[in-house]
Amino acid sequence: MALWLAAAAFVAAVAIAIPFVWAQQQLEAARADYTAAAGEVRDASAALDTVRQRADETRSLADAVLAAADGQHGDPDALAALGDAVQALTLQLEGDDQIAVPVPSTVPDSGTEELREHAEGFREGAAEVRRSAAELEAATGEATAAGEAYMAALPEAAASVEARFASAANLARIAHREVTASLREARWGPDAPAEVSTYASVVAILAASHAAEEAEKAGPLYQARAEVEDFARSISGGVMLDFDWAPVVNGYGANGSYGGTATWNTGHGGYSTITLSDSVAAQWHSNPSVASLVAHEVGHSITSKCMALFVDGFDSQPEAFATAWAIGLGYELEGNGESLYGRPSEELIELSRECR
Protein backbone atom coordinates (compact mmCIF):
# COMPACT_ATOMS: atom_id res chain seq x y z
CA MET A 1 0.00 0.00 0.00
CA ALA A 2 2.81 2.39 0.85
CA LEU A 3 4.49 1.51 -2.40
CA TRP A 4 1.33 2.27 -4.34
CA LEU A 5 0.97 5.66 -2.61
CA ALA A 6 4.57 6.53 -3.40
CA ALA A 7 4.07 5.67 -7.06
CA ALA A 8 0.92 7.74 -7.21
CA ALA A 9 2.72 10.70 -5.69
CA PHE A 10 5.51 10.36 -8.27
CA VAL A 11 3.04 10.33 -11.14
CA ALA A 12 1.30 13.40 -9.75
CA ALA A 13 4.62 15.21 -9.46
CA VAL A 14 5.48 14.35 -13.05
CA ALA A 15 2.06 15.52 -14.18
CA ILE A 16 2.64 18.84 -12.49
CA ALA A 17 6.21 19.17 -13.82
CA ILE A 18 5.37 18.66 -17.51
CA PRO A 19 3.11 21.76 -17.83
CA PHE A 20 5.65 23.78 -15.90
CA VAL A 21 8.49 22.77 -18.23
CA TRP A 22 6.33 23.40 -21.30
CA ALA A 23 5.39 26.86 -19.99
CA GLN A 24 9.04 27.67 -19.40
CA GLN A 25 9.91 26.55 -22.90
CA GLN A 26 7.18 28.72 -24.34
CA LEU A 27 8.39 31.68 -22.30
CA GLU A 28 11.98 31.17 -23.47
CA ALA A 29 10.77 30.89 -27.06
CA ALA A 30 8.78 34.11 -26.64
CA ARG A 31 11.80 35.87 -25.19
CA ALA A 32 13.94 34.66 -28.12
CA ASP A 33 11.28 35.80 -30.59
CA TYR A 34 11.09 39.16 -28.84
CA THR A 35 14.88 39.51 -29.10
CA ALA A 36 14.87 38.55 -32.80
CA ALA A 37 12.03 40.96 -33.61
CA ALA A 38 13.76 43.74 -31.69
CA GLY A 39 16.87 43.01 -33.76
CA GLU A 40 14.82 43.41 -36.94
CA VAL A 41 13.75 46.86 -35.77
CA ARG A 42 17.33 47.84 -34.95
CA ASP A 43 18.61 46.58 -38.31
CA ALA A 44 15.82 48.31 -40.24
CA SER A 45 16.36 51.54 -38.30
CA ALA A 46 20.10 51.42 -38.95
CA ALA A 47 19.44 50.87 -42.66
CA LEU A 48 16.99 53.79 -42.66
CA ASP A 49 19.59 56.00 -41.00
CA THR A 50 22.05 55.14 -43.76
CA VAL A 51 19.48 55.87 -46.46
CA ARG A 52 18.49 59.09 -44.71
CA GLN A 53 22.11 60.24 -44.63
CA ARG A 54 22.42 59.68 -48.39
CA ALA A 55 19.11 61.47 -48.91
CA ASP A 56 20.27 64.44 -46.83
CA GLU A 57 23.50 64.63 -48.83
CA THR A 58 21.60 64.43 -52.10
CA ARG A 59 19.14 67.10 -51.05
CA SER A 60 21.95 69.40 -49.89
CA LEU A 61 23.76 68.92 -53.20
CA ALA A 62 20.60 69.56 -55.21
CA ASP A 63 19.72 72.64 -53.14
CA ALA A 64 23.21 74.03 -53.79
CA VAL A 65 22.91 73.40 -57.53
CA LEU A 66 19.46 74.98 -57.66
CA ALA A 67 20.74 78.01 -55.75
CA ALA A 68 23.65 78.36 -58.18
CA ALA A 69 21.35 77.96 -61.18
CA ASP A 70 19.15 80.72 -59.77
CA GLY A 71 16.11 79.41 -61.61
CA GLN A 72 17.39 80.31 -65.06
CA HIS A 73 20.65 78.60 -66.00
CA GLY A 74 20.51 75.37 -67.90
CA ASP A 75 17.77 73.49 -69.69
CA PRO A 76 14.48 74.82 -68.23
CA ASP A 77 12.73 71.45 -68.32
CA ALA A 78 15.68 69.70 -66.65
CA LEU A 79 15.87 72.47 -64.07
CA ALA A 80 12.15 72.18 -63.30
CA ALA A 81 12.43 68.39 -63.04
CA LEU A 82 15.28 68.73 -60.56
CA GLY A 83 13.27 71.18 -58.48
CA ASP A 84 10.27 68.82 -58.42
CA ALA A 85 12.46 65.85 -57.46
CA VAL A 86 14.06 67.78 -54.60
CA GLN A 87 10.65 68.84 -53.33
CA ALA A 88 9.47 65.22 -53.36
CA LEU A 89 12.63 64.11 -51.58
CA THR A 90 12.17 66.79 -48.93
CA LEU A 91 8.60 65.67 -48.25
CA GLN A 92 9.78 62.08 -47.96
CA LEU A 93 12.52 63.05 -45.54
CA GLU A 94 10.11 65.04 -43.39
CA GLY A 95 7.72 62.09 -43.30
CA ASP A 96 10.51 59.69 -42.31
CA ASP A 97 11.39 61.89 -39.36
CA GLN A 98 8.09 60.82 -37.82
CA ILE A 99 8.96 57.12 -37.99
CA ALA A 100 10.43 55.77 -34.78
CA VAL A 101 10.02 52.32 -33.22
CA PRO A 102 11.42 52.40 -29.67
CA VAL A 103 13.08 49.18 -28.53
CA PRO A 104 14.05 48.61 -24.86
CA SER A 105 17.69 47.69 -24.30
CA THR A 106 16.70 44.57 -22.34
CA VAL A 107 13.95 42.00 -22.58
CA PRO A 108 11.19 42.97 -20.15
CA ASP A 109 10.09 40.59 -17.40
CA SER A 110 6.76 39.89 -19.10
CA GLY A 111 4.61 36.90 -19.77
CA THR A 112 4.71 34.76 -22.88
CA GLU A 113 1.69 36.31 -24.60
CA GLU A 114 2.80 39.85 -23.85
CA LEU A 115 6.26 39.12 -25.24
CA ARG A 116 4.70 37.67 -28.38
CA GLU A 117 2.52 40.75 -28.80
CA HIS A 118 5.62 42.94 -28.47
CA ALA A 119 7.46 40.81 -31.04
CA GLU A 120 4.55 41.11 -33.49
CA GLY A 121 4.50 44.87 -32.98
CA PHE A 122 8.25 45.05 -33.55
CA ARG A 123 7.95 43.15 -36.82
CA GLU A 124 5.17 45.43 -38.02
CA GLY A 125 7.28 48.42 -37.05
CA ALA A 126 10.34 46.97 -38.80
CA ALA A 127 8.29 46.43 -41.95
CA GLU A 128 7.11 50.05 -41.83
CA VAL A 129 10.69 51.26 -41.39
CA ARG A 130 11.85 49.13 -44.33
CA ARG A 131 9.03 50.50 -46.50
CA SER A 132 10.00 54.01 -45.53
CA ALA A 133 13.66 53.31 -46.33
CA ALA A 134 12.70 51.91 -49.73
CA GLU A 135 10.52 54.94 -50.53
CA LEU A 136 13.23 57.33 -49.37
CA GLU A 137 15.85 55.49 -51.39
CA ALA A 138 13.60 55.71 -54.45
CA ALA A 139 13.09 59.45 -53.94
CA THR A 140 16.85 59.88 -53.53
CA GLY A 141 17.43 57.96 -56.74
CA GLU A 142 14.92 60.15 -58.59
CA ALA A 143 16.60 63.31 -57.33
CA THR A 144 20.00 61.95 -58.34
CA ALA A 145 18.71 61.02 -61.80
CA ALA A 146 17.19 64.49 -62.20
CA GLY A 147 20.48 66.07 -61.14
CA GLU A 148 22.44 63.95 -63.60
CA ALA A 149 20.00 64.87 -66.37
CA TYR A 150 20.32 68.56 -65.54
CA MET A 151 24.12 68.43 -65.65
CA ALA A 152 24.08 66.43 -68.88
CA ALA A 153 21.78 68.97 -70.55
CA LEU A 154 23.75 71.98 -69.34
CA PRO A 155 26.34 72.13 -72.16
CA GLU A 156 23.70 71.97 -74.87
CA ALA A 157 21.60 74.61 -73.16
CA ALA A 158 24.69 76.78 -72.68
CA ALA A 159 25.49 76.63 -76.39
CA SER A 160 22.31 78.56 -77.20
CA VAL A 161 22.92 81.29 -74.64
CA GLU A 162 25.47 83.20 -76.70
CA ALA A 163 22.90 83.76 -79.43
CA ARG A 164 20.69 85.57 -76.91
CA PHE A 165 23.51 87.99 -76.13
CA ALA A 166 24.88 88.52 -79.63
CA SER A 167 26.10 92.04 -78.89
CA ALA A 168 28.34 90.96 -76.00
CA ALA A 169 32.00 91.84 -76.35
CA ASN A 170 34.45 89.25 -77.65
CA LEU A 171 36.24 88.68 -74.34
CA ALA A 172 32.94 88.01 -72.58
CA ARG A 173 31.97 85.55 -75.29
CA ILE A 174 35.37 83.88 -75.14
CA ALA A 175 35.01 83.39 -71.38
CA HIS A 176 31.54 81.95 -71.90
CA ARG A 177 32.77 79.54 -74.57
CA GLU A 178 35.61 78.33 -72.40
CA VAL A 179 33.32 77.61 -69.45
CA THR A 180 30.76 76.03 -71.77
CA ALA A 181 33.46 73.69 -73.10
CA SER A 182 34.41 72.69 -69.55
CA LEU A 183 30.77 71.83 -68.81
CA ARG A 184 31.06 68.81 -71.10
CA GLU A 185 33.14 67.20 -68.36
CA ALA A 186 30.83 68.33 -65.55
CA ARG A 187 29.15 65.60 -63.54
CA TRP A 188 26.57 65.36 -60.80
CA GLY A 189 28.60 65.34 -57.62
CA PRO A 190 30.29 67.54 -55.03
CA ASP A 191 31.79 69.84 -57.70
CA ALA A 192 28.47 70.44 -59.47
CA PRO A 193 27.40 73.55 -57.48
CA ALA A 194 30.74 75.28 -58.15
CA GLU A 195 30.57 74.40 -61.85
CA VAL A 196 27.03 75.73 -62.17
CA SER A 197 27.96 78.84 -60.18
CA THR A 198 30.96 79.50 -62.42
CA TYR A 199 28.77 79.11 -65.48
CA ALA A 200 26.14 81.42 -64.03
CA SER A 201 28.79 84.05 -63.35
CA VAL A 202 30.04 84.07 -66.96
CA VAL A 203 26.47 84.27 -68.24
CA ALA A 204 25.97 87.30 -65.99
CA ILE A 205 29.09 88.89 -67.48
CA LEU A 206 27.88 88.02 -70.98
CA ALA A 207 24.46 89.55 -70.30
CA ALA A 208 25.97 92.70 -68.79
CA SER A 209 28.32 93.11 -71.75
CA HIS A 210 25.43 92.64 -74.17
CA ALA A 211 23.40 95.27 -72.34
CA ALA A 212 26.30 97.73 -72.38
CA GLU A 213 26.89 97.24 -76.11
CA GLU A 214 23.19 97.59 -76.82
CA ALA A 215 23.14 100.84 -74.86
CA GLU A 216 26.11 102.14 -76.88
CA LYS A 217 24.34 101.70 -80.19
CA ALA A 218 20.95 102.89 -78.94
CA GLY A 219 19.28 105.87 -80.55
CA PRO A 220 17.69 106.69 -83.91
CA LEU A 221 20.25 104.58 -85.79
CA TYR A 222 19.86 101.52 -83.58
CA GLN A 223 17.95 99.34 -86.03
CA ALA A 224 20.29 100.10 -88.91
CA ARG A 225 23.34 99.49 -86.72
CA ALA A 226 21.92 96.13 -85.64
CA GLU A 227 21.33 95.17 -89.28
CA VAL A 228 24.89 96.15 -90.23
CA GLU A 229 26.30 94.05 -87.39
CA ASP A 230 24.12 91.07 -88.31
CA PHE A 231 25.27 91.32 -91.90
CA ALA A 232 28.93 91.48 -90.89
CA ARG A 233 28.61 88.46 -88.63
CA SER A 234 26.81 86.52 -91.36
CA ILE A 235 29.88 86.71 -93.64
CA SER A 236 32.61 86.53 -90.97
CA GLY A 237 33.12 82.76 -91.16
CA GLY A 238 32.64 82.34 -87.43
CA VAL A 239 35.19 84.97 -86.43
CA MET A 240 33.83 86.82 -83.41
CA LEU A 241 33.19 90.49 -84.07
CA ASP A 242 33.01 93.47 -81.76
CA PHE A 243 31.61 96.75 -83.07
CA ASP A 244 32.32 100.32 -82.18
CA TRP A 245 30.50 103.27 -83.71
CA ALA A 246 31.74 106.84 -84.00
CA PRO A 247 30.82 110.01 -85.92
CA VAL A 248 34.11 109.96 -87.83
CA VAL A 249 36.32 106.92 -88.45
CA ASN A 250 39.66 107.04 -90.24
CA GLY A 251 38.80 110.55 -91.41
CA TYR A 252 35.46 109.58 -92.96
CA GLY A 253 31.89 110.04 -91.81
CA ALA A 254 30.98 113.64 -92.63
CA ASN A 255 29.44 115.10 -95.79
CA GLY A 256 28.09 111.80 -97.05
CA SER A 257 31.33 109.85 -96.60
CA TYR A 258 31.64 106.64 -94.64
CA GLY A 259 34.60 104.90 -93.11
CA GLY A 260 35.73 101.92 -91.09
CA THR A 261 38.70 100.17 -89.54
CA ALA A 262 39.28 96.67 -88.21
CA THR A 263 41.69 94.88 -85.94
CA TRP A 264 42.13 91.13 -85.67
CA ASN A 265 43.50 88.54 -83.29
CA THR A 266 44.24 84.89 -84.08
CA GLY A 267 43.52 83.65 -80.55
CA HIS A 268 40.44 81.64 -79.57
CA GLY A 269 39.50 80.82 -83.14
CA GLY A 270 39.84 84.42 -84.28
CA TYR A 271 38.24 87.62 -83.09
CA SER A 272 38.15 91.21 -84.24
CA THR A 273 36.89 94.71 -83.54
CA ILE A 274 35.32 96.66 -86.38
CA THR A 275 34.80 100.40 -86.00
CA LEU A 276 32.32 102.07 -88.34
CA SER A 277 31.20 105.63 -88.84
CA ASP A 278 27.62 106.48 -87.93
CA SER A 279 27.09 107.33 -91.60
CA VAL A 280 27.37 103.63 -92.47
CA ALA A 281 24.20 103.01 -90.48
CA ALA A 282 22.58 106.21 -91.74
CA GLN A 283 23.11 105.16 -95.38
CA TRP A 284 22.56 101.42 -94.91
CA HIS A 285 19.15 101.38 -96.56
CA SER A 286 19.88 104.02 -99.22
CA ASN A 287 23.45 103.46 -100.41
CA PRO A 288 24.47 99.94 -101.53
CA SER A 289 28.14 100.93 -101.47
CA VAL A 290 28.32 100.88 -97.67
CA ALA A 291 27.86 97.11 -97.73
CA SER A 292 31.07 96.87 -99.76
CA LEU A 293 32.86 98.88 -97.08
CA VAL A 294 31.57 96.57 -94.37
CA ALA A 295 32.66 93.54 -96.43
CA HIS A 296 36.15 95.07 -96.74
CA GLU A 297 36.41 95.47 -92.96
CA VAL A 298 35.20 91.91 -92.43
CA GLY A 299 37.93 90.92 -94.88
CA HIS A 300 40.43 92.32 -92.38
CA SER A 301 38.69 90.51 -89.53
CA ILE A 302 38.64 87.13 -91.23
CA THR A 303 42.40 87.29 -91.70
CA SER A 304 42.61 85.88 -88.17
CA LYS A 305 41.37 82.46 -89.35
CA CYS A 306 43.33 82.41 -92.62
CA MET A 307 46.80 83.51 -91.55
CA ALA A 308 48.68 81.00 -93.72
CA LEU A 309 46.80 82.18 -96.80
CA PHE A 310 47.33 85.80 -95.79
CA VAL A 311 51.07 85.40 -95.24
CA ASP A 312 51.90 83.05 -98.10
CA GLY A 313 49.40 84.14 -100.74
CA PHE A 314 49.18 87.87 -100.06
CA ASP A 315 52.64 88.53 -98.64
CA SER A 316 50.97 89.80 -95.46
CA GLN A 317 49.43 92.80 -97.27
CA PRO A 318 46.25 93.55 -95.29
CA GLU A 319 44.58 95.97 -97.71
CA ALA A 320 45.19 93.74 -100.71
CA PHE A 321 43.72 90.80 -98.80
CA ALA A 322 40.66 92.69 -97.52
CA THR A 323 39.95 94.22 -100.95
CA ALA A 324 40.33 90.91 -102.78
CA TRP A 325 38.22 89.17 -100.18
CA ALA A 326 35.34 91.69 -100.53
CA ILE A 327 35.47 91.49 -104.33
CA GLY A 328 35.67 87.70 -104.21
CA LEU A 329 32.52 87.70 -102.12
CA GLY A 330 30.77 89.77 -104.81
CA TYR A 331 31.03 93.28 -103.40
CA GLU A 332 32.17 95.37 -106.37
CA LEU A 333 30.90 98.81 -105.40
CA GLU A 334 32.95 101.69 -104.07
CA GLY A 335 33.92 101.03 -100.48
CA ASN A 336 35.38 97.59 -101.16
CA GLY A 337 38.88 99.14 -101.08
CA GLU A 338 39.59 99.18 -104.82
CA SER A 339 39.36 102.97 -105.16
CA LEU A 340 41.93 103.47 -102.39
CA TYR A 341 44.26 100.49 -102.79
CA GLY A 342 43.79 99.39 -106.38
CA ARG A 343 42.20 96.25 -107.74
CA PRO A 344 44.00 93.03 -106.81
CA SER A 345 44.79 90.55 -109.55
CA GLU A 346 42.19 87.99 -110.53
CA GLU A 347 44.50 85.32 -109.14
CA LEU A 348 44.45 86.99 -105.71
CA ILE A 349 40.69 87.48 -105.86
CA GLU A 350 40.28 83.79 -106.66
CA LEU A 351 42.75 82.87 -103.91
CA SER A 352 40.78 84.91 -101.37
CA ARG A 353 37.77 82.67 -101.96
CA GLU A 354 39.59 79.94 -100.06
CA CYS A 355 38.96 81.93 -96.88
CA ARG A 356 35.35 81.83 -95.84
Side-chain angles (χ1 to χ4, degrees), residues 302 305-306 309 314 321 323-332 343 345-356:
I302 208 170
K305 67 176 286 186
C306 303
L309 180 66
F314 287 82
F321 183 88
T323 302
W325 191 85
I327 294 171
L329 205 62
Y331 291 91
E332 296 276 2
R343 186 177 182 86
S345 67
E346 291 304 315
E347 291 77 12
L348 288 180
I349 292 172
E350 183 61 31
L351 186 61
S352 76
R353 292 189 174 100
E354 297 181 12
C355 182
R356 291 288 182 266

Side-chain angles (χ1 to χ4, degrees), residues 155-179:
E156 185 176 348
S160 66
V161 170
E162 188 175 322
R164 298 208 315 265
F165 303 114
S167 293
N170 287 329
L171 294 181
R173 280 185 281 168
I174 288 169
H176 178 262
R177 290 182 180 185
E178 288 178 340
V179 172

Side-chain angles (χ1 to χ4, degrees), residues 114-139:
E114 187 176 355
L115 288 172
R116 286 173 177 168
E117 289 175 3
H118 281 310
E120 184 179 354
F122 286 155
R123 288 200 169 90
E124 291 175 354
E128 183 180 359
V129 172
R130 284 193 292 268
R131 282 194 300 271
S132 179
E135 292 170 355
L136 182 57
E137 191 161 24

Side-chain angles (χ1 to χ4, degrees), residues 7 17 22 30-31 34 41 45 72 74 80 94 102 129 135 157 184 199 219-220 238 256 261-262 279 295 328 330 348:
W22 183 83
R31 291 173 67 86
Y34 176 99
V41 172
S45 298
Q72 59 182 320
E94 290 173 350
V129 172
E135 292 170 355
R184 302 190 187 283
Y199 175 67
T261 62
S279 56
L348 288 180

Side-chain angles (χ1 to χ4, degrees), residues 89-303:
L89 177 58
T90 298
L91 290 174
Q92 191 67 47
L93 273 167
E94 290 173 350
D96 287 337
D97 284 342
Q98 308 303 316
I99 296 176
V101 182
V103 178
S105 58
T106 60
V107 179
D109 187 14
S110 302
T112 299
E113 290 305 316
E114 187 176 355
L115 288 172
R116 286 173 177 168
E117 289 175 3
H118 281 310
E120 184 179 354
F122 286 155
R123 288 200 169 90
E124 291 175 354
E128 183 180 359
V129 172
R130 284 193 292 268
R131 282 194 300 271
S132 179
E135 292 170 355
L136 182 57
E137 191 161 24
T140 302
E142 290 173 3
T144 298
E148 291 171 345
Y150 169 77
M151 295 301 292
L154 196 55
E156 185 176 348
S160 66
V161 170
E162 188 175 322
R164 298 208 315 265
F165 303 114
S167 293
N170 287 329
L171 294 181
R173 280 185 281 168
I174 288 169
H176 178 262
R177 290 182 180 185
E178 288 178 340
V179 172
T180 297
S182 72
L183 288 177
R184 302 190 187 283
E185 302 300 324
R187 295 291 182 271
W188 179 253
D191 295 334
E195 289 165 338
V196 175
S197 179
T198 298
Y199 175 67
S201 67
V202 299
V203 173
I205 293 171
L206 193 71
S209 176
H210 172 82
E213 294 295 327
E214 287 287 285
E216 283 185 16
K217 63 175 178 257
L221 293 175
Y222 173 84
Q223 187 58 43
R225 284 173 176 148
E227 291 177 19
V228 171
E229 293 180 9
D230 287 344
F231 163 71
R233 290 192 174 102
S234 73
I235 62 173
S236 68
V239 172
M240 291 183 292
L241 302 179
D242 277 345
F243 291 91
D244 287 327
W245 294 87
V248 175
V249 177
N250 205 22
Y252 298 93
N255 302 317
S257 64
Y258 44 89
T261 62
T263 64
W264 65 89
N265 190 307
T266 58
H268 303 283
Y271 62 97
S272 168
T273 297
I274 293 177
T275 304
L276 297 171
S277 64
D278 292 337
S279 56
V280 169
Q283 298 180 49
W284 183 246
H285 294 122
S286 60
N287 183 357
S289 295
V290 295
S292 293
L293 169 72
V294 175
H296 177 91
E297 301 308 335
V298 175
H300 284 307
S301 300
I302 208 170
T303 303

